[in-house]
Amino acid sequence: DAGITQSPRHKVTETGTPVTLRCHQTENHRYMYWYRQDPGHGLRLIHYSYGVKDTDKGEVSDGYSVSRSKTEDFLLTLESATSSQTSVYFCAISGSPRGANVLTFGAGSRLTVL
Amino acid sequence: GIQVEQSPPDLILQEGANSTLRCNFSDSVNNLQWFHQNPWGQLINLFYIPSGTKQNGRLSATTVATERYSLLYISSSQTTDSGVYFCAVEPEYGGATNKLIFGTGTLLAVQP
């Protein structure tokens, strides 16, 4: 996880509350991603960013928004959390200045929505 | 969208055995990577292999892009190889998006 920090690592919240997960990288990679992992579904892409203020939707974007105001930070927001958003959320980066497209993951954030 | 299927879904090995994991994908891809998720949830990139063959110690991978499959070989397996192995691809259609789509994984348990 060197160079990628996710916060918080664990969070328990109640249905209807807003939640923001933060991903911070020190690798100066161009691309940043948010995935969720659920049993039986593997990892599914929520949103990704291809530069500052440039984002796009993934496979399961409903109920989520993202922002990237700096190269190093990518925020995932659940405006009104639901129980179906209980999951483990992984941030990832790729696109090093050397051009490699290898995907590197953070340690994950476990979110429980009661 | 592209379909990514991994087989077998589950595999139990005795320590020292060899194994082959397979990833089939339904469309042409720009990018294919293999990952290992250990029992503590950490995801580690094993190979970036859109085509050809690569080796890293006891692990090797081969992608035959024209036939839309990739294989991950584990030789002389160790208990530390346990976990879930994921294949992920970037579809060629839509251009170079750098968005990887994951298969559902192969759960490997290596017994001492």
Side-chain angles (χ1 to χ4, degrees), chain A residues 61-98:
Chain A
S61 59
D62 287 349
Y64 301 95
S65 63
V66 290
S67 65
R68 191 171 179 197
S69 59
K70 299 184 290 186
T71 297
E72 55 267 34
D73 289 327
F74 193 33
L75 303 181
L76 177 70
T77 297
L78 291 66
E79 300 290 348
S80 178
T82 67
S83 58
S84 65
Q85 293 176 313
T86 292
S87 187
V88 180
Y89 291 86
F90 285 96
C91 174
I93 63 175
S94 74
S96 75
R98 295 188 304 276

Side-chain angles (χ1 to χ4, degrees), chain B residues 18-95:
Chain B
N18 303 328
S19 63
T20 301
L21 282 56
R22 187 176 180 103
C23 172
N24 291 332
F25 41 96
S26 59
D27 285 298
S28 299
V29 299
N30 291 324
N31 184 348
L32 188 146
Q33 299 182 31
W34 283 96
F35 297 85
H36 175 223
Q37 186 170 36
N38 65 25
W40 296 271
Q42 186 181 16
L43 281 154
I44 301 298
N45 191 295
L46 299 175
F47 292 103
Y48 167 74
I49 187 165
S51 63
T53 297
K54 290 186 178 179
Q55 181 156 7
N56 184 1
R58 295 181 297 103
L59 303 181
S60 64
T62 294
T63 297
V64 183
T66 53
E67 297 188 19
R68 300 180 182 171
Y69 73 89
S70 183
L71 302 174
L72 178 68
Y73 304 96
I74 304 174
S75 64
S76 304
S77 59
Q78 301 176 357
T79 55
T80 53
D81 295 330
S82 296
V84 184
Y85 289 81
F86 290 104
C87 165
V89 303
E90 176 194 353
E92 195 174 88
Y93 60 77

Side-chain angles (χ1 to χ4, degrees), chain A residues 94-112:
Chain A
S94 74
S96 75
R98 295 188 304 276
N101 287 330
V102 172
L103 197 66
T104 303
F105 281 91
S109 296
R110 181 175 295 276
L111 175 67
T112 302

